[in-house]
């Protein structure tokens, strides 16, 4: 990929904060790359970056117009096409993390060809992968897993990698989704890999390394989510994790997108992930709980973490609010 910076983050007419996860991830973890955001009428969410018109952003130096969406199904709304074309006419490349490909939209493809703009679909890998082998690889690996989708697996992974680096660990963050790829500049969006090759793609993403090197691998989906468990399982087997961290969001009433599907308990999630992870690493174990406590106060967050730690016998913290040392101390 050759993604030019800085970015203008396009948040469209979004009303659900989770739908602009890609834009918010870039703003939170790569703020130096983000000039501002461009919204359409009706948008009620924000990345916190300055609001700008396309013209203002280009004048300020913006090089790429980033479609900052992570909506269910990864679809590109036709209402966004005029803004995409205007961005290209103003001199920007277009970057998308959606399942729908930019080049499959005739007006977008023809405009890009005419103006010489790049259309970058970062969710669609161009590498040819092999099937997984389950063969033991040197080096160490930590994988984040979740009770549900969109509970903070990427933020937890980035937080862990940052904290490990500060403590002197030899660490690499491995992105497995479009948001992580935009932040880190490399990775494989595993939900766009043909199912037979997911575990092999992750083996390639996290190859053999020095014995004391840690790959922190971004998790995807949930083994308990009927729609996305397949991706989660392939990622679990391919990552061959030595350590796993369970991510959970407080006050969620049902699985994302499934009103009638209850969330699994944290203990059920621990048991399921450890059991299935041991197909490729017999020593895989959960080392902690990462709690997304954004829906409650700091005091409530501390109390909830203490309750979960007592119930599970594992350290529990909010990786954004709290120090991660109690989890990192579990690594050997």
């Amino acid at each position: 990929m050759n993604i030019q910076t800085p970015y203008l983050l396009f948040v469209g007419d979004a009303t659900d904060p989770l739908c602009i996860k890609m834009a918010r991830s870039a703003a939170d973890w790569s703020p130096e790359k983000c000039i501002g955001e461009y919204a359409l009428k009706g948008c009620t969410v924000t990345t916190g970056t300055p609001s700008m018109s396309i013209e203002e952003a280009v004048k300020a130096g913006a090089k790429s117009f980033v479609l900052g969406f992570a909506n269910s199904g990864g679809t590109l709304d036709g209402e966004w096409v005029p803004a995409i074309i205007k961005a290209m006419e103003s001199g920007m490349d277009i970057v998308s993390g959606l399942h729908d490909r930019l080049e499959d939209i005739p007006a977008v493809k023809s405009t890009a060809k005419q103006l010489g703009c790049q259309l970058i679909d970062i969710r669609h890998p161009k590498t040819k992968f092999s099937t997984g082998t389950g063969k033991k690889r040197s080096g160490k690996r930590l994988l984040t897993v979740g009770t549900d989708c969109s509970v903070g697996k990427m933020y937890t992974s980035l937080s862990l990698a940052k904290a490990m680096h500060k403590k002197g660990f030899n660490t690499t963050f491995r992105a497995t989704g479009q948001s992580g790829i935009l932040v880190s500049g490399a990775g494989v969006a595993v939900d766009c890999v043909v199912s037979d090759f997911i575990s092999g793609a992750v083996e390639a993403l996290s190859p053999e390394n020095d014995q004391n090197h840690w790959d922190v691998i971004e998790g995807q989906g949930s083994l308990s989510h009927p729609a996305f468990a397949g991706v989660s399982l392939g990622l679990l087997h391919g990552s061959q994790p030595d350590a796993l961290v369970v991510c959970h969001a407080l006050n969620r009433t049902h699985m994302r997108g499934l009103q009638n599907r209850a969330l699994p308990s944290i203990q059920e999630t621990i048991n399921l992930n450890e059991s299935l992870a041991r197909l490729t690493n017999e020593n895989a174990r959960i080392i902690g709980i990462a709690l997304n406590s954004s829906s409650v106060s700091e005091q409530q967050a501390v109390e909830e973490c203490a309750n979960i730690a007592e119930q599970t016998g594992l350290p529990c913290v909010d990786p954004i609010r709290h120090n991660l040392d109690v989890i990192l101390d579990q690594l050997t």
Side-chain angles (χ1 to χ4, degrees):
M1 292 179 293
N2 180 25
I3 304 176
Q4 297 192 80
T5 59
Y7 309 143
L8 175 61
L9 304 171
F10 179 45
V11 294
D13 53 0
T15 57
D16 178 0
L18 291 179
C19 283
I20 61 164
K21 183 172 70 171
M22 183 165 161
R24 292 184 67 183
S25 299
D28 288 347
W29 291 96
S30 302
E32 73 284 355
K33 298 178 182 178
C34 304
I35 276 186
E37 69 180 24
Y38 176 62
L40 300 178
K41 184 178 179 180
C43 182
T44 59
V45 295
T46 180
T47 62
T49 57
S51 177
M52 291 185 175
S53 68
I54 290 175
E55 294 83 0
E56 289 171 337
V58 170
K59 188 174 181 180
K63 301 296 184 184
S64 294
F65 190 68
V66 176
L67 310 190
F69 309 98
N71 56 30
S72 181
T75 57
L76 197 157
D77 192 327
E79 297 294 320
W80 304 336
V81 172
I84 294 171
I85 290 175
K86 184 175 180 180
M88 287 191 287
E89 290 174 341
S90 300
M92 284 188 277
D93 294 333
I94 310 299
V95 180
S96 173
L98 298 167
H99 279 300
D100 289 348
R101 296 174 186 265
L102 292 166
E103 63 180 19
D104 289 340
I105 302 169
V108 171
K109 182 178 181 179
S110 62
T111 302
K113 184 176 181 180
Q114 177 186 349
L115 299 175
C117 298
Q118 287 192 101
L119 298 179
I120 303 174
D121 288 299
I122 62 176
R123 201 167 192 164
H124 296 275
K126 299 184 183 302
T127 302
K128 184 176 181 179
F129 298 111
S130 301
T131 54
T133 66
K135 181 181 177 182
K136 181 64 178 175
R137 309 192 297 284
S138 58
K140 299 179 180 180
R141 291 162 188 84
L142 184 155
L143 174 70
T144 51
V145 296
T147 55
D148 193 11
C149 306
S150 304
V151 291
K153 292 182 290 294
M154 188 197 74
Y155 276 58
T156 297
S157 300
L158 286 165
S159 296
L160 285 164
K162 183 177 180 180
M164 291 170 72
H165 181 73
K166 284 184 177 180
K167 288 180 73 71
F169 284 80
N170 184 6
T171 307
T172 303
F173 168 72
R174 303 294 187 182
T176 63
Q178 70 275 22
S179 299
I181 292 171
L182 186 66
V183 170
S184 67
V188 177
V190 293
D191 64 358
C192 276
V193 176
V194 174
S195 59
D196 276 0
F197 301 95
I198 292 175
S199 61
V202 181
E203 288 180 358
L205 177 68
S206 177
E208 288 201 315
N209 216 312
D210 293 340
Q211 196 59 43
N212 292 320
H213 178 275
W214 279 92
D215 273 347
V216 178
I217 303 171
E218 175 192 8
Q220 297 294 328
S222 168
L223 291 176
S224 297
H225 199 297
F228 309 116
V231 170
S232 304
L233 184 61
L235 176 54
L236 184 67
H237 289 160
S239 61
Q240 203 176 87
D242 299 282
L244 300 103
V245 172
V246 172
C247 303
H248 177 66
L250 279 178
N251 295 329
R252 190 166 293 190
T253 58
H254 54 80
M255 302 295 284
R256 189 181 180 201
L258 301 175
Q259 296 283 340
N260 299 318
R261 173 71 64 163
L263 287 160
S265 70
I266 292 175
Q267 190 60 55
E268 288 171 335
T269 302
I270 290 171
N271 296 342
L272 184 59
N273 278 275
E274 282 190 338
S275 173
L276 295 176
R278 287 170 181 165
L279 177 71
T280 54
N281 186 343
E282 62 183 11
N283 297 314
R285 65 187 181 95
I286 306 292
I287 63 165
I289 315 298
L291 190 68
N292 179 344
S293 66
S294 57
S295 63
V296 300
S297 69
E298 169 64 21
Q299 181 58 38
Q300 288 173 300
V302 171
E303 293 172 358
E304 290 288 351
C305 286
N307 289 337
I308 292 171
E310 183 177 359
Q311 291 166 11
T312 63
L314 293 165
C316 176
V317 296
D318 183 319
I320 303 302
R321 283 175 156 170
H322 307 145
N323 188 292
L324 285 164
D325 283 356
V326 289
I327 291 181
L328 298 188
D329 288 345
Q330 306 300 308
L331 296 176
T332 56

